[in-house]
Amino acid sequence: MVQIQCSGKLLNLNGVSFYNTKNNNPDGFGAIPLTITLGRGECIPGLESGIVGMKKGGIRRIIIPPELAYSGFPDLEPRPTNANDQRALDSVVKNPRRDATILFDVSLERFK
C-alpha cells in the first residue's frame, strides 16, 4: 500500500487540472493523500506502473497514454472529486476525436 499526493492534468485541454489531492479534503484543512494498494487494480494501470520503483519522498511526472488511463479503465482511481472536474475529464475521454493522454505529478509519501 502506498500513499501519494498527486495532481492530474489533461494534456489535450492545455493542462486543465481534473484531480488534485489538495482539493479532496471536505474540511479544507490540508490534503488527504490517495491510498492505493499496488497490484490489485485499484488505480489506472499507467499510474500504477509509474509509481513502481519510487522511493519515499520521491517526485515523478508520469505521462499516461489513453489506453492505460481512463479510456480503457473509466472506474478506477484517482477519480475527480467534483462535477466540474469530472465534466472536464469526460469531455476528453468520451470524445474519440480528442487525445485522452493525461499527466500526473506524483509525490510518494508513504509505504505500508
Side-chain angles (χ1 to χ4, degrees):
M1 181 178 79
V2 295
Q3 290 183 335
I4 60 171
Q5 294 289 342
C6 66
S7 67
K9 297 181 174 114
L10 301 167
L11 294 183
N12 188 273
L13 295 179
N14 296 324
V16 168
S17 179
F18 70 91
Y19 181 82
N20 196 328
T21 50
K22 293 179 180 172
N23 300 333
N24 65 359
N25 187 347
D27 298 332
F29 296 108
I32 298 175
L34 176 65
T35 303
I36 51 176
T37 303
L38 298 178
R40 288 203 180 159
E42 295 175 5
C43 74
I44 56 176
L47 182 60
E48 187 170 312
S49 64
I51 293 171
V52 171
M54 287 183 73
K55 296 179 181 176
K56 182 178 177 180
I59 298 171
R60 193 173 280 180
R61 177 165 280 173
I62 305 167
I63 298 174
I64 305 172
E67 59 273 5
L68 295 176
Y70 297 105
S71 294
F73 305 91
D75 298 326
L76 298 181
E77 290 290 338
R79 299 297 309 150
T81 55
N82 62 51
N84 286 337
D85 293 345
Q86 183 66 51
R87 203 171 306 125
L89 179 62
D90 287 345
S91 75
V92 171
V93 173
K94 293 182 178 181
N95 186 341
R97 292 182 300 256
R98 286 195 167 167
D99 179 16
T101 300
I102 57 175
L103 176 143
F104 276 100
D105 289 322
V106 177
S107 172
L108 197 137
E109 286 194 343
R110 185 176 179 188
F111 282 108
K112 213 172 188 185

